[in-house]
PDB file of all heavy atoms in Angstrom:
ATOM      1  N   ARG A 192     119.051 120.834 140.231  1.00 80.00           N
ATOM      2  CA  ARG A 192     118.781 121.614 141.443  1.00 80.00           C
ATOM      3  C   ARG A 192     117.304 121.969 141.556  1.00 80.00           C
ATOM      4  O   ARG A 192     116.928 122.988 142.131  1.00 80.00           O
ATOM      5  CB  ARG A 192     119.638 122.875 141.448  1.00 80.00           C
ATOM      6  CG  ARG A 192     121.137 122.581 141.350  1.00 80.00           C
ATOM      7  CD  ARG A 192     121.971 123.825 141.425  1.00 80.00           C
ATOM      8  NE  ARG A 192     121.866 124.465 142.733  1.00 80.00           N
ATOM      9  CZ  ARG A 192     122.517 125.575 143.075  1.00 80.00           C
ATOM     10  NH1 ARG A 192     123.335 126.149 142.194  1.00 80.00           N
ATOM     11  NH2 ARG A 192     122.370 126.104 144.272  1.00 80.00           N
ATOM     12  N   ILE A 193     116.465 121.100 141.029  1.00 84.00           N
ATOM     13  CA  ILE A 193     115.029 121.349 141.029  1.00 84.00           C
ATOM     14  C   ILE A 193     114.492 121.528 142.446  1.00 84.00           C
ATOM     15  O   ILE A 193     113.595 122.336 142.683  1.00 84.00           O
ATOM     16  CB  ILE A 193     114.285 120.207 140.293  1.00 84.00           C
ATOM     17  CG1 ILE A 193     112.769 120.451 140.306  1.00 84.00           C
ATOM     18  CG2 ILE A 193     114.610 118.848 140.876  1.00 84.00           C
ATOM     19  CD1 ILE A 193     111.996 119.437 139.487  1.00 84.00           C
ATOM     20  N   ALA A 194     115.065 120.765 143.410  1.00 78.00           N
ATOM     21  CA  ALA A 194     114.551 120.838 144.779  1.00 78.00           C
ATOM     22  C   ALA A 194     114.821 122.193 145.422  1.00 78.00           C
ATOM     23  O   ALA A 194     114.213 122.526 146.449  1.00 78.00           O
ATOM     24  CB  ALA A 194     115.163 119.722 145.624  1.00 78.00           C
ATOM     25  N   GLU A 195     115.720 122.984 144.837  1.00 81.00           N
ATOM     26  CA  GLU A 195     116.054 124.290 145.396  1.00 81.00           C
ATOM     27  C   GLU A 195     115.376 125.431 144.634  1.00 81.00           C
ATOM     28  O   GLU A 195     115.665 126.607 144.906  1.00 81.00           O
ATOM     29  CB  GLU A 195     117.573 124.497 145.354  1.00 81.00           C
ATOM     30  CG  GLU A 195     118.363 123.408 146.043  1.00 81.00           C
ATOM     31  CD  GLU A 195     119.842 123.538 145.788  1.00 81.00           C
ATOM     32  OE1 GLU A 195     120.271 124.597 145.261  1.00 81.00           O
ATOM     33  OE2 GLU A 195     120.577 122.590 146.106  1.00 81.00           O
ATOM     34  N   MET A 196     114.506 125.089 143.692  1.00 87.00           N
ATOM     35  CA  MET A 196     113.910 126.122 142.838  1.00 87.00           C
ATOM     36  C   MET A 196     112.403 126.181 143.059  1.00 87.00           C
ATOM     37  O   MET A 196     111.656 125.378 142.505  1.00 87.00           O
ATOM     38  CB  MET A 196     114.202 125.832 141.363  1.00 87.00           C
ATOM     39  CG  MET A 196     113.853 126.994 140.428  1.00 87.00           C
ATOM     40  SD  MET A 196     114.011 126.537 138.671  1.00 87.00           S
ATOM     41  CE  MET A 196     115.715 125.995 138.603  1.00 87.00           C
ATOM     42  N   PRO A 197     111.902 127.096 143.868  1.00 90.00           N
ATOM     43  CA  PRO A 197     110.452 127.220 144.066  1.00 90.00           C
ATOM     44  C   PRO A 197     109.765 127.676 142.779  1.00 90.00           C
ATOM     45  O   PRO A 197     110.369 128.293 141.903  1.00 90.00           O
ATOM     46  CB  PRO A 197     110.324 128.268 145.170  1.00 90.00           C
ATOM     47  CG  PRO A 197     111.606 129.028 145.128  1.00 90.00           C
ATOM     48  CD  PRO A 197     112.655 128.072 144.673  1.00 90.00           C
ATOM     49  N   ALA A 198     108.493 127.372 142.676  1.00 90.00           N
ATOM     50  CA  ALA A 198     107.737 127.652 141.454  1.00 90.00           C
ATOM     51  C   ALA A 198     107.739 129.131 141.103  1.00 90.00           C
ATOM     52  O   ALA A 198     107.666 129.499 139.923  1.00 90.00           O
ATOM     53  CB  ALA A 198     106.305 127.145 141.598  1.00 90.00           C
ATOM     54  N   ALA A 199     107.830 130.013 142.096  1.00 91.00           N
ATOM     55  CA  ALA A 199     107.814 131.444 141.814  1.00 91.00           C
ATOM     56  C   ALA A 199     109.026 131.886 141.004  1.00 91.00           C
ATOM     57  O   ALA A 199     109.005 132.954 140.375  1.00 91.00           O
ATOM     58  CB  ALA A 199     107.756 132.230 143.125  1.00 91.00           C
ATOM     59  N   GLN A 200     110.105 131.074 140.987  1.00 91.00           N
ATOM     60  CA  GLN A 200     111.315 131.422 140.240  1.00 91.00           C
ATOM     61  C   GLN A 200     111.378 130.773 138.854  1.00 91.00           C
ATOM     62  O   GLN A 200     112.305 131.050 138.092  1.00 91.00           O
ATOM     63  CB  GLN A 200     112.551 131.015 141.051  1.00 91.00           C
ATOM     64  CG  GLN A 200     112.685 131.704 142.384  1.00 91.00           C
ATOM     65  CD  GLN A 200     113.925 131.253 143.138  1.00 91.00           C
ATOM     66  OE1 GLN A 200     114.794 130.571 142.592  1.00 91.00           O
ATOM     67  NE2 GLN A 200     114.015 131.643 144.414  1.00 91.00           N
ATOM     68  N   TRP A 201     110.428 129.923 138.565  1.00 92.00           N
ATOM     69  CA  TRP A 201     110.504 129.173 137.300  1.00 92.00           C
ATOM     70  C   TRP A 201     110.474 130.094 136.083  1.00 92.00           C
ATOM     71  O   TRP A 201     111.193 129.872 135.117  1.00 92.00           O
ATOM     72  CB  TRP A 201     109.356 128.167 137.227  1.00 92.00           C
ATOM     73  CG  TRP A 201     109.538 126.977 138.126  1.00 92.00           C
ATOM     74  CD1 TRP A 201     110.458 126.831 139.119  1.00 92.00           C
ATOM     75  CD2 TRP A 201     108.758 125.785 138.116  1.00 92.00           C
ATOM     76  NE1 TRP A 201     110.313 125.624 139.743  1.00 92.00           N
ATOM     77  CE2 TRP A 201     109.277 124.954 139.144  1.00 92.00           C
ATOM     78  CE3 TRP A 201     107.689 125.330 137.378  1.00 92.00           C
ATOM     79  CZ2 TRP A 201     108.750 123.696 139.414  1.00 92.00           C
ATOM     80  CZ3 TRP A 201     107.152 124.082 137.644  1.00 92.00           C
ATOM     81  CH2 TRP A 201     107.676 123.276 138.648  1.00 92.00           C
ATOM     82  N   GLU A 202     109.609 131.101 136.113  1.00 91.00           N
ATOM     83  CA  GLU A 202     109.475 131.966 134.933  1.00 91.00           C
ATOM     84  C   GLU A 202     110.802 132.617 134.583  1.00 91.00           C
ATOM     85  O   GLU A 202     111.220 132.628 133.421  1.00 91.00           O
ATOM     86  CB  GLU A 202     108.409 133.031 135.178  1.00 91.00           C
ATOM     87  CG  GLU A 202     108.275 133.994 133.985  1.00 91.00           C
ATOM     88  CD  GLU A 202     107.286 135.111 134.256  1.00 91.00           C
ATOM     89  OE1 GLU A 202     106.811 135.245 135.397  1.00 91.00           O
ATOM     90  OE2 GLU A 202     106.995 135.864 133.304  1.00 91.00           O
ATOM     91  N   ARG A 203     111.499 133.155 135.589  1.00 90.00           N
ATOM     92  CA  ARG A 203     112.745 133.870 135.328  1.00 90.00           C
ATOM     93  C   ARG A 203     113.882 132.909 135.003  1.00 90.00           C
ATOM     94  O   ARG A 203     114.602 133.114 134.020  1.00 90.00           O
ATOM     95  CB  ARG A 203     113.104 134.729 136.542  1.00 90.00           C
ATOM     96  CG  ARG A 203     114.443 135.450 136.422  1.00 90.00           C
ATOM     97  CD  ARG A 203     114.712 136.298 137.654  1.00 90.00           C
ATOM     98  NE  ARG A 203     114.708 135.510 138.878  1.00 90.00           N
ATOM     99  CZ  ARG A 203     115.772 134.830 139.329  1.00 90.00           C
ATOM    100  NH1 ARG A 203     116.913 134.833 138.638  1.00 90.00           N
ATOM    101  NH2 ARG A 203     115.705 134.151 140.457  1.00 90.00           N
ATOM    102  N   ARG A 204     114.025 131.843 135.784  1.00 90.00           N
ATOM    103  CA  ARG A 204     115.180 130.965 135.625  1.00 90.00           C
ATOM    104  C   ARG A 204     115.032 129.989 134.464  1.00 90.00           C
ATOM    105  O   ARG A 204     116.024 129.548 133.883  1.00 90.00           O
ATOM    106  CB  ARG A 204     115.430 130.209 136.934  1.00 90.00           C
ATOM    107  CG  ARG A 204     115.789 131.156 138.077  1.00 90.00           C
ATOM    108  CD  ARG A 204     115.939 130.443 139.403  1.00 90.00           C
ATOM    109  NE  ARG A 204     117.053 129.498 139.390  1.00 90.00           N
ATOM    110  CZ  ARG A 204     117.445 128.803 140.458  1.00 90.00           C
ATOM    111  NH1 ARG A 204     116.818 128.993 141.637  1.00 90.00           N
ATOM    112  NH2 ARG A 204     118.447 127.957 140.377  1.00 90.00           N
ATOM    113  N   LEU A 205     113.789 129.656 134.112  1.00 91.00           N
ATOM    114  CA  LEU A 205     113.561 128.728 132.991  1.00 91.00           C
ATOM    115  C   LEU A 205     113.126 129.440 131.717  1.00 91.00           C
ATOM    116  O   LEU A 205     112.881 128.790 130.706  1.00 91.00           O
ATOM    117  CB  LEU A 205     112.504 127.682 133.381  1.00 91.00           C
ATOM    118  CG  LEU A 205     112.837 126.822 134.601  1.00 91.00           C
ATOM    119  CD1 LEU A 205     111.693 125.859 134.888  1.00 91.00           C
ATOM    120  CD2 LEU A 205     114.139 126.058 134.379  1.00 91.00           C
ATOM    121  N   HIS A 206     112.984 130.774 131.758  1.00 91.00           N
ATOM    122  CA  HIS A 206     112.619 131.586 130.576  1.00 91.00           C
ATOM    123  C   HIS A 206     111.258 131.150 130.024  1.00 91.00           C
ATOM    124  O   HIS A 206     111.118 130.827 128.836  1.00 91.00           O
ATOM    125  CB  HIS A 206     113.691 131.484 129.490  1.00 91.00           C
ATOM    126  CG  HIS A 206     115.072 131.786 129.983  1.00 91.00           C
ATOM    127  ND1 HIS A 206     115.523 133.067 130.178  1.00 91.00           N
ATOM    128  CD2 HIS A 206     116.098 130.950 130.332  1.00 91.00           C
ATOM    129  CE1 HIS A 206     116.770 133.028 130.628  1.00 91.00           C
ATOM    130  NE2 HIS A 206     117.146 131.762 130.737  1.00 91.00           N
ATOM    131  N   LEU A 207     110.251 131.139 130.875  1.00 92.00           N
ATOM    132  CA  LEU A 207     108.908 130.703 130.495  1.00 92.00           C
ATOM    133  C   LEU A 207     108.063 131.907 130.088  1.00 92.00           C
ATOM    134  O   LEU A 207     108.147 132.974 130.688  1.00 92.00           O
ATOM    135  CB  LEU A 207     108.240 129.962 131.655  1.00 92.00           C
ATOM    136  CG  LEU A 207     109.009 128.756 132.208  1.00 92.00           C
ATOM    137  CD1 LEU A 207     108.209 128.086 133.323  1.00 92.00           C
ATOM    138  CD2 LEU A 207     109.327 127.753 131.102  1.00 92.00           C
ATOM    139  N   ARG A 208     107.244 131.709 129.055  1.00 91.00           N
ATOM    140  CA  ARG A 208     106.379 132.765 128.543  1.00 91.00           C
ATOM    141  C   ARG A 208     105.045 132.163 128.092  1.00 91.00           C
ATOM    142  O   ARG A 208     104.919 130.958 127.899  1.00 91.00           O
ATOM    143  CB  ARG A 208     107.029 133.475 127.338  1.00 91.00           C
ATOM    144  CG  ARG A 208     108.284 134.264 127.671  1.00 91.00           C
ATOM    145  CD  ARG A 208     107.967 135.516 128.470  1.00 91.00           C
ATOM    146  NE  ARG A 208     109.141 136.335 128.707  1.00 91.00           N
ATOM    147  CZ  ARG A 208     109.946 136.202 129.744  1.00 91.00           C
ATOM    148  NH1 ARG A 208     109.713 135.233 130.642  1.00 91.00           N
ATOM    149  NH2 ARG A 208     110.983 137.009 129.903  1.00 91.00           N
ATOM    150  N   HIS A 209     104.075 133.033 127.924  1.00 91.00           N
ATOM    151  CA  HIS A 209     102.837 132.643 127.239  1.00 91.00           C
ATOM    152  C   HIS A 209     103.156 132.397 125.757  1.00 91.00           C
ATOM    153  O   HIS A 209     104.188 132.876 125.247  1.00 91.00           O
ATOM    154  CB  HIS A 209     101.783 133.742 127.361  1.00 91.00           C
ATOM    155  CG  HIS A 209     101.109 133.789 128.700  1.00 91.00           C
ATOM    156  ND1 HIS A 209     100.344 132.761 129.193  1.00 91.00           N
ATOM    157  CD2 HIS A 209     101.092 134.765 129.656  1.00 91.00           C
ATOM    158  CE1 HIS A 209      99.872 133.086 130.382  1.00 91.00           C
ATOM    159  NE2 HIS A 209     100.318 134.297 130.697  1.00 91.00           N
ATOM    160  N   PRO A 210     102.281 131.675 125.024  1.00 86.00           N
ATOM    161  CA  PRO A 210     102.536 131.453 123.591  1.00 86.00           C
ATOM    162  C   PRO A 210     102.689 132.734 122.785  1.00 86.00           C
ATOM    163  O   PRO A 210     103.394 132.748 121.777  1.00 86.00           O
ATOM    164  CB  PRO A 210     101.301 130.647 123.133  1.00 86.00           C
ATOM    165  CG  PRO A 210     100.843 129.938 124.361  1.00 86.00           C
ATOM    166  CD  PRO A 210     101.120 130.881 125.494  1.00 86.00           C
ATOM    167  N   ASP A 211     102.064 133.830 123.227  1.00 84.00           N
ATOM    168  CA  ASP A 211     102.199 135.098 122.496  1.00 84.00           C
ATOM    169  C   ASP A 211     103.444 135.879 122.904  1.00 84.00           C
ATOM    170  O   ASP A 211     103.670 136.990 122.432  1.00 84.00           O
ATOM    171  CB  ASP A 211     100.952 135.960 122.682  1.00 84.00           C
ATOM    172  CG  ASP A 211     100.720 136.346 124.149  1.00 84.00           C
ATOM    173  OD1 ASP A 211     101.544 135.972 125.009  1.00 84.00           O
ATOM    174  OD2 ASP A 211      99.704 137.014 124.427  1.00 84.00           O
ATOM    175  N   GLY A 212     104.275 135.299 123.793  1.00 83.00           N
ATOM    176  CA  GLY A 212     105.511 135.946 124.202  1.00 83.00           C
ATOM    177  C   GLY A 212     105.394 136.818 125.430  1.00 83.00           C
ATOM    178  O   GLY A 212     106.407 137.338 125.910  1.00 83.00           O
ATOM    179  N   SER A 213     104.195 137.008 125.969  1.00 89.00           N
ATOM    180  CA  SER A 213     104.018 137.864 127.141  1.00 89.00           C
ATOM    181  C   SER A 213     104.438 137.128 128.411  1.00 89.00           C
ATOM    182  O   SER A 213     104.419 135.900 128.467  1.00 89.00           O
ATOM    183  CB  SER A 213     102.555 138.303 127.246  1.00 89.00           C
ATOM    184  OG  SER A 213     101.711 137.161 127.378  1.00 89.00           O
ATOM    185  N   PRO A 214     104.823 137.857 129.462  1.00 90.00           N
ATOM    186  CA  PRO A 214     105.238 137.220 130.719  1.00 90.00           C
ATOM    187  C   PRO A 214     104.100 136.429 131.354  1.00 90.00           C
ATOM    188  O   PRO A 214     102.921 136.783 131.239  1.00 90.00           O
ATOM    189  CB  PRO A 214     105.655 138.408 131.591  1.00 90.00           C
ATOM    190  CG  PRO A 214     105.893 139.540 130.640  1.00 90.00           C
ATOM    191  CD  PRO A 214     104.961 139.323 129.494  1.00 90.00           C
ATOM    192  N   MET A 215     104.456 135.372 132.090  1.00 88.00           N
ATOM    193  CA  MET A 215     103.440 134.532 132.710  1.00 88.00           C
ATOM    194  C   MET A 215     103.003 135.091 134.053  1.00 88.00           C
ATOM    195  O   MET A 215     101.820 135.048 134.402  1.00 88.00           O
ATOM    196  CB  MET A 215     103.967 133.103 132.887  1.00 88.00           C
ATOM    197  CG  MET A 215     104.299 132.414 131.588  1.00 88.00           C
ATOM    198  SD  MET A 215     104.011 130.646 131.663  1.00 88.00           S
ATOM    199  CE  MET A 215     102.240 130.574 131.728  1.00 88.00           C
ATOM    200  N   GLY A 216     103.956 135.591 134.839  1.00 85.00           N
ATOM    201  CA  GLY A 216     103.596 136.109 136.150  1.00 85.00           C
ATOM    202  C   GLY A 216     102.914 135.042 136.990  1.00 85.00           C
ATOM    203  O   GLY A 216     103.368 133.907 137.117  1.00 85.00           O
TER     204      GLY A 216
END
Side-chain angles (χ1 to χ4, degrees):
R192 303 183 66 179
I193 179 174
E195 305 171 12
M196 191 187 303
Q200 299 180 11
W201 286 12
E202 178 184 8
R203 176 179 58 84
R204 297 176 64 176
L205 301 179
H206 308 281
L207 304 182
R208 294 289 185 271
H209 283 297
D211 62 2
S213 60
M215 297 212 70

